[in-house]
Amino acid sequence: QVQLVESGGGSVSSGGSLTLSCAASEYSIKTYCMGWFRQVPGRAPQGIAVRDSAGRTEYADSVKGRFTLSQDNAKTTLYLHMNNLKPEDTSTYYCAADYRPLPDTCVISGILSLAYKGQGTQVTVSS
């Protein structure tokens, strides 16, 4: 069982930046598919970014060019760097992960199928 703990959420003004962290209890996330999705109450979850075991990343069109994934050298924490935040980015952000050594099995459209998910962290962007 892998535990994921998110942090870094908060309130910012439009155009501001935040960095979310997802710390995994696993020794190494190198062979994991990891990413982020977000959900607003009453709406469907939206996958926004994933990183596969080869280190390749995929982003949703709505965040492309503004959000960036990175991971620490110990490969146990995934970061989501969010720049030029907009009010429509307001949501609860969740980290998700699963053991996926084959990169082709790690895509944004499948993020909700990943076995492990964190408790979420709230991001609020004011206009």
Side-chain angles (χ1 to χ4, degrees):
Q1 184 78 10
V2 176
Q3 293 185 333
L4 304 174
V5 179
E6 302 106 331
S7 61
S11 298
V12 296
S13 299
S14 182
S17 300
L18 282 174
T19 295
L20 305 183
S21 302
C22 175
S25 61
E26 188 70 4
Y27 173 74
S28 172
I29 58 174
K30 187 176 182 179
T31 54
Y32 277 65
C33 172
M34 288 189 73
W36 294 86
F37 67 96
R38 63 189 181 188
Q39 187 170 22
V40 174
R43 298 182 64 179
Q46 178 192 18
I48 55 174
V50 291
R51 180 219 57 129
D52 66 23
S53 61
R56 297 175 302 188
T57 54
E58 181 185 0
Y59 299 93
D61 288 343
S62 59
V63 305
K64 201 172 293 183
R66 300 188 298 122
F67 292 11
T68 305
L69 289 172
S70 69
Q71 63 185 53
D72 66 352
N73 291 333
K75 302 189 188 307
T76 59
T77 300
L78 185 73
Y79 301 97
L80 180 67
H81 305 279
M82 305 185 295
N83 297 314
N84 191 21
L85 283 161
K86 304 175 181 180
E88 51 263 43
D89 294 318
T90 295
S91 188
T92 302
Y93 285 71
Y94 299 87
C95 179
D98 202 352
Y99 178 68
R100 298 278 177 92
L102 299 177
D104 290 347
T105 63
C106 183
V107 293
I108 279 185
S109 59
I111 193 169
L112 295 180
S113 70
L114 300 183
Y116 308 108
K117 298 177 179 67
Q119 80 288 352
T121 186
Q122 178 67 33
V123 172
T124 302
V125 185
S126 58
S127 57

